[in-house]
Amino acid sequence: MAKRATARDVAEQAGVSKWTVIRAFTPGASITEGSRAKVMAVAEKLNYRPNLLARSLATNLTHQVAVLVDDFENPYKLSFLERLTLELQSEGLVAVLININEHFDHVHALLNADQRQLDAVIMCGTAFRTEMLQDVRLDGAAPMFVLARDSQIPGVPAINCDTTLAIKDLCRHLHEKGYRRPGFMAGPKTLSTALGRRRAFKAFWRAHGITEMPELAAHHYSAASGAEAVRRYLNEVSPAGRVDVLLCENDVLAFGAMDVIRSEFGLKVPIDIAVAGFDNTLFAAAPAYDLTTYEQPVEAMVKATVAMILGREPKKTVTMPGRLVVRGSA
Amino acid sequence: MAKRATARDVAEQAGVSKWTVIRAFTPGASITEGSRAKVMAVAEKLNYRPNLLARSLATNLTHQVAVLVDDFENPYKLSFLERLTLELQSEGLVAVLININEHFDHVHALLNADQRQLDAVIMCGTAFRTEMLQDVRLDGAAPMFVLARDSQIPGVPAINCDTTLAIKDLCRHLHEKGYRRPGFMAGPKTLSTALGRRRAFKAFWRAHGITEMPELAAHHYSAASGAEAVRRYLNEVSPAGRVDVLLCENDVLAFGAMDVIRSEFGLKVPIDIAVAGFDNTLFAAAPAYDLTTYEQPVEAMVKATVAMILGREPKKTVTMPGRLVVRGSA
DNA sequence: AAGTTTTTTGCTACCGGTAGCAAACGCGCA
DNA sequence: TGCGCGTTTGCTACCGGTAGCAAAAAACTT
């Protein structure tokens, strides 16, 4: 197997200097049609393509972006990844997917991205402790972005769905439908997004004269945890005293909740307990769940993030409205 | 913001040559404890970390692997991505996620991976035409691997679940349960995996004296397509003549099928029609579907792929057995 | 035809490492 | 004290491009 051709190889065969070869491949470079054609012919013959690694070293631009993900249980992540890769690729960038887990934490990932000279780091809904990231010393490192989650870190913009508006829309719908005993199922408490959604929820109902709002706590963002939280709740509370609608912090929790409500307690959704979620996962539309939920503006969020990476937009935290999706579950 | 420190900066401050600095960071290099400590102290102070880009250029090794994905509708992909990134990262490699779509095809991706000098390319269940890839001239390019799909391309190993065995296991279970009027729902015909599963299915039932096997065709691997295929079928066939069990080529099709069977035709699963899938997606376990399915040995497949990439195992096509997952739907 | 301007081409230096050879060093031993 | 030997250090050359200046060539003036 022949070694790949370099600009020098092409130059020798074409009888020009390697810089002329480079120019033939540089759009807008100063070169005559004749030279360019001559170079291109040889390049074609030798199957030459510029080495992007060498270019990156010289220009300090890799056109690679780290995308950190820590939760592969939520199918919703897949749509984020799809749109994100699509958008990045359409701009000539490429996503380096980094799995954040107990063996490979954010600091690890950040150092790695730094050593690989990636152009930017997108934390795609990952759970991190602010202090942890503030301590990492990264001189001249890639700009960071927090996608689909709040950021308290100075200088690190967050690109988000407007949680307050979203929860208000959801709750208004539930209120109009006549529900008056709302419950909230929260995921792990540590996460800032969680707190935001919870706060907005409480604020809405309190403003409507309702003060009692049971809160169910799920330990992870998984259907199993959602199921467990509801199971615990329904076993503790008498049928008369239980909530008439349960707003879950995301669809996955809602799916777990519905499963238990229906198959373990024989209750009907939405008649006995209505359920709403957040994210509009693929499965939310399936008749088996038919979940009322809220859709984040994934495309707009992704576009905004990439625009900031490319420097087309100033780097700053933005929130944007999503869309209430009313279905049968509430 | 200060520019990042290089080996030369450290060398100057430590009063040694840059090669000594490099050696301090090279495990097993010949260097005295004294020099190493001196270098490390300065490196720590300047926050120096070796530039992997420069290293890659010199060593011809990027420790980056392209992962091509073309179907973001199947939550199953997410588990593949999770395990794959996990395994790659544990070996010091990193995944470059490439979204294959109508604007960015396999050839595009391959050329891109080549120019970026990636160490390997994994086609993760992507649909490609063999001729298309054979024509790409890539001298000295990264080795390719086909994961979770067949490969007809010479020199390109496929790492697969043993389809024949899998379908046989599934069908044997269905046969033992007493089903005798089996139907098969296939995805897009062009894909080789599809053909394999279908062939195995037909072979099994024919061997058991059954020759009539309705085949429902879904145009995409999506719940909507599965739903549509079943809808068409049930509208055409009289209740007496319809299948008693439907084996779907994957879980997502099965979900769509179950949705229609239950909510549009008011039939019961598995009493009126049993349904089985393939993949054991997260949602297959949910009570709402409770789908009998077959689980591919994702971890083993991923490990085998990475082992080949690292050269620990010879590059060759392998198939490995998965696991029948019996649930309520069949 | 010579002078001037503009375009094209070639060049040096550099990006930040690696490979492998040669010189310098340290150490034991005669 | 000098020799031999292994270890440590420094060096040149290189990976394959980019940046920007200087020389050469082409085009335009007058």
Side-chain angles (χ1 to χ4, degrees):
Chain A
M1 169 106 46
K3 262 194 64 183
R4 60 176 355 94
T6 73
R8 191 157 51 144
D9 300 331
V10 176
E12 273 169 25
Q13 285 220 21
V16 296
S17 70
K18 76 166 184 171
W19 297 276
T20 302
V21 174
I22 300 288
R23 284 188 184 101
F25 281 86
T26 309
S30 160
I31 186 173
T32 56
E33 254 327 298
S35 312
R36 159 167 266 130
K38 195 165 54 181
V39 167
M40 284 312 196
V42 177
E44 171 74 16
K45 197 182 100 196
L46 299 183
N47 203 17
Y48 166 79
R49 257 153 296 130
N51 181 333
L52 296 186
L53 212 50
R55 174 178 299 172
S56 294
L57 180 62
T59 56
N60 245 321
L61 241 54
T62 53
H63 298 287
Q64 295 189 327
V65 173
V67 176
L68 314 197
V69 175
D70 66 354
D71 169 23
F72 290 82
E73 293 234 340
N74 192 340
Y76 188 51
K77 280 284 151 63
L78 210 44
S79 34
F80 256 109
L81 286 179
E82 174 175 25
R83 296 233 72 95
L84 197 48
T85 47
L86 195 65
E87 184 67 19
L88 288 170
Q89 284 170 210
S90 77
E91 300 288 353
L93 302 172
V94 99
V96 173
L97 180 61
I98 297 185
N99 183 339
I100 302 293
N101 52 64
E102 65 249 64
H103 307 297
F104 206 96
D105 63 19
H106 280 84
V107 175
H108 231 83
L110 251 28
L111 293 180
N112 203 265
D114 179 50
Q115 287 196 267
R116 295 197 131 95
Q117 308 277 93
L118 304 192
D119 292 347
V121 175
I122 300 176
M123 297 189 273
C124 190
T126 57
F128 55 84
R129 285 180 302 115
T130 304
E131 323 84 74
M132 204 172 181
L133 295 190
Q134 277 176 324
D135 292 347
V136 195
R137 288 170 54 209
L138 293 170
D139 309 326
M144 281 167 43
F145 300 88
V146 174
L147 184 56
R149 177 142 292 163
D150 287 348
S151 156
Q152 251 69 258
I153 315 175
V156 176
I159 296 88
N160 250 308
C161 173
D162 187 333
T163 311
T164 313
L165 181 67
I167 296 288
K168 209 182 276 177
D169 279 359
L170 268 166
C171 290
R172 189 182 303 121
H173 167 75
L174 299 177
H175 189 261
E176 278 169 10
K177 281 279 177 176
Y179 298 108
R180 290 297 181 270
R181 293 199 309 282
F184 187 76
M185 181 186 293
K189 284 269 170 58
T190 43
L191 307 178
S192 44
T193 317
L195 300 172
R197 291 186 188 170
R198 186 166 140 264
R199 203 178 319 117
F201 178 85
K202 297 216 158 188
F204 176 90
W205 292 103
R206 208 169 289 131
H208 286 74
I210 287 164
T211 51
E212 199 186 334
M213 297 167 256
E215 198 170 313
L216 323 201
H219 301 310
H220 308 284
Y221 284 113
S222 68
S225 289
E228 192 212 314
V230 166
R231 192 179 297 125
R232 213 179 322 123
Y233 174 73
L234 290 180
N235 276 327
E236 275 175 4
V237 178
S238 73
R242 67 193 170 211
V243 300
D244 59 0
V245 63
L246 184 62
L247 177 57
C248 301
E249 210 188 291
N250 75 25
D251 282 2
V252 175
L253 293 176
F255 295 143
M258 284 177 83
D259 286 340
V260 167
I261 289 170
R262 296 190 295 200
S263 54
E264 293 183 22
F265 289 84
L267 301 173
K268 293 232 175 306
V269 174
I271 299 166
D272 299 310
I273 300 184
V275 176
F278 204 108
D279 279 351
N280 195 25
T281 314
L282 262 168
F283 282 86
Y289 291 106
D290 197 31
L291 185 69
T292 290
T293 184
Y294 194 88
E295 185 177 296
Q296 296 191 48
V298 179
E299 184 166 352
M301 289 165 68
V302 163
K303 276 195 191 310
T305 308
V306 174
M308 289 187 206
I309 290 176
L310 294 171
R312 293 209 192 119
E313 298 281 342
K315 291 189 185 62
K316 67 156 198 275
T317 292
V318 292
T319 60
M320 33 190 82
R323 183 172 70 91
L324 177 66
V325 180
V326 177
R327 294 206 184 90
S329 76
Chain B
M1 171 104 46
K3 262 194 61 182
R4 61 178 352 97
T6 73
R8 191 157 50 142
D9 301 330
V10 176
E12 273 169 26
Q13 286 219 21
V16 295
S17 71
K18 77 167 183 170
W19 298 276
T20 302
V21 174
I22 300 288
R23 283 188 185 102
F25 281 87
T26 310
S30 159
I31 187 174
T32 56
E33 254 326 299
S35 311
R36 160 168 266 130
K38 194 164 56 182
V39 167
M40 284 312 197
V42 178
E44 171 74 15
K45 197 182 103 197
L46 298 183
N47 203 18
Y48 166 79
R49 256 153 297 131
N51 181 333
L52 296 187
L53 212 51
R55 175 177 299 172
S56 294
L57 180 61
T59 57
N60 246 321
L61 240 52
T62 53
H63 298 287
Q64 294 188 329
V65 173
V67 176
L68 314 197
V69 175
D70 66 354
D71 168 24
F72 289 82
E73 292 236 339
N74 192 339
Y76 188 50
K77 279 284 151 64
L78 210 44
S79 34
F80 256 109
L81 286 179
E82 174 175 25
R83 297 233 70 96
L84 197 48
T85 48
L86 195 65
E87 184 67 19
L88 288 170
Q89 284 169 211
S90 77
E91 300 289 352
L93 302 173
V94 98
V96 173
L97 181 61
I98 298 185
N99 182 340
I100 302 292
N101 52 64
E102 66 250 66
H103 307 298
F104 206 95
D105 63 19
H106 280 84
V107 175
H108 231 82
L110 251 29
L111 293 179
N112 202 265
D114 179 50
Q115 287 195 268
R116 294 198 131 97
Q117 309 276 93
L118 304 192
D119 292 347
V121 176
I122 300 175
M123 297 189 275
C124 190
T126 57
F128 55 84
R129 285 180 302 114
T130 304
E131 324 82 74
M132 204 172 182
L133 295 190
Q134 277 176 324
D135 293 348
V136 195
R137 287 170 54 209
L138 294 169
D139 310 325
M144 280 167 45
F145 300 87
V146 174
L147 185 56
R149 177 141 291 161
D150 288 347
S151 155
Q152 252 68 258
I153 314 174
V156 176
I159 295 87
N160 250 307
C161 173
D162 186 334
T163 312
T164 313
L165 181 67
I167 296 288
K168 209 182 278 176
D169 279 0
L170 269 166
C171 290
R172 188 182 304 122
H173 167 74
L174 300 177
H175 189 260
E176 277 169 10
K177 281 278 178 177
Y179 299 108
R180 291 297 181 270
R181 295 200 307 281
F184 187 76
M185 180 185 293
K189 284 269 170 59
T190 42
L191 307 177
S192 43
T193 318
L195 300 171
R197 292 186 188 172
R198 187 167 140 264
R199 203 178 319 117
F201 177 85
K202 297 217 159 186
F204 177 91
W205 293 102
R206 210 170 287 130
H208 287 74
I210 288 165
T211 51
E212 200 187 334
M213 295 167 257
E215 198 171 313
L216 323 200
H219 301 310
H220 308 286
Y221 285 113
S222 68
S225 289
E228 193 211 315
V230 165
R231 192 179 296 125
R232 215 180 320 123
Y233 173 74
L234 290 180
N235 277 328
E236 275 175 5
V237 178
S238 73
R242 67 191 169 212
V243 300
D244 58 1
V245 62
L246 184 63
L247 177 58
C248 301
E249 210 187 290
N250 76 25
D251 282 2
V252 176
L253 292 177
F255 296 143
M258 284 178 82
D259 287 340
V260 167
I261 289 171
R262 296 190 295 200
S263 54
E264 293 183 22
F265 289 84
L267 301 174
K268 293 235 176 302
V269 175
I271 299 166
D272 299 310
I273 300 184
V275 176
F278 203 107
D279 279 351
N280 195 25
T281 314
L282 262 168
F283 282 86
Y289 290 106
D290 197 30
L291 185 68
T292 289
T293 184
Y294 193 89
E295 184 177 297
Q296 296 190 48
V298 179
E299 184 166 353
M301 290 165 67
V302 163
K303 277 195 190 308
T305 308
V306 174
M308 289 186 205
I309 290 176
L310 294 171
R312 293 209 191 119
E313 298 281 342
K315 291 188 185 64
K316 67 157 198 274
T317 292
V318 292
T319 60
M320 34 192 81
R323 184 172 70 90
L324 176 67
V325 179
V326 177
R327 294 207 184 89
S329 75

